[in-house]
Amino acid sequence: MFTLHERLVADSTQIGELPLCTLLLINDVNYPWLVLVPRLSEIREIYQLETADRVQLLEESCVLSEVMDAVFTPLKMNVAALGNMVPQLHLHHIARFSDDPAWPNPVWGAVPAKAYDDDTQQKLIFSIIEGFNNTDLRLET
């Protein structure tokens, strides 16, 4: 049975569910940062996925990146599956800008996380949901 890792629960807000993945917003106003988590138990690495799930993960990742590009117009999209702190397979999507607090270095540990206020977070989530409404990929909220 799939259970979201406690660290992801603590650090994020769930936006919705795609066909394979749960979509999360990391609670850090320093960066537009979303995470895809395949709803599969005992999976730590992409290569452990069945072929159809690999294809679906890539599709969901690409569509999420397109949505983030449309919403934020970043200079660069960072997409990574690290898992050093959270062993559960999850794929980070971080919109990067030349004036963000970590540019051009990795975001991890660059500055302390700063939580969204409720209004800003809700507006951001609404923008992401609206972005998915312009794609062929269904986001269930």
Side-chain angles (χ1 to χ4, degrees):
M1 182 173 145
F2 171 77
T3 304
L4 192 60
H5 190 278
E6 65 221 20
R7 178 85 183 249
L8 292 173
V9 171
D11 291 349
S12 69
T13 299
Q14 184 171 330
I15 295 176
E17 294 188 350
L18 296 163
L20 177 66
C21 296
T22 297
L23 178 60
L24 307 172
L25 171 66
I26 297 296
N27 193 17
D28 185 356
V29 74
N30 292 306
Y31 319 96
W33 186 343
L34 290 100
V35 175
L36 291 175
V37 185
R39 290 184 305 281
L40 301 167
S41 301
E42 309 286 325
I43 300 292
R44 299 172 67 100
E45 307 293 344
I46 294 171
Y47 69 80
Q48 294 173 325
L49 295 170
E50 298 292 330
T51 301
D53 289 335
R54 288 181 199 170
V55 170
Q56 185 63 39
L57 177 60
L58 183 59
E59 177 65 13
E60 291 179 16
S61 176
C62 287
V63 171
L64 175 57
S65 295
E66 291 170 353
V67 168
M68 291 179 71
D69 186 65
V71 171
F72 304 112
T73 59
L75 181 62
K76 177 75 174 96
M77 281 295 305
N78 289 176
V79 178
L82 300 176
N84 297 340
M85 300 292 289
V86 175
Q88 180 176 55
L89 177 60
H90 60 289
L91 199 56
H92 298 270
H93 295 70
I94 308 168
R96 299 296 307 274
F97 303 88
S98 61
D99 62 350
D100 75 38
W103 184 263
N105 299 312
V107 300
W108 286 272
V111 296
K114 181 179 174 190
Y116 287 100
D117 64 65
D118 288 340
D119 187 52
T120 301
Q121 185 181 61
Q122 289 308 311
K123 287 178 181 174
L124 180 55
I125 289 171
F126 179 79
S127 296
I128 297 296
I129 291 169
E130 285 296 303
F132 272 96
N133 287 340
N134 296 321
T135 73
D136 292 333
L137 197 60
R138 183 89 174 126
L139 175 66
E140 298 290 335
T141 57

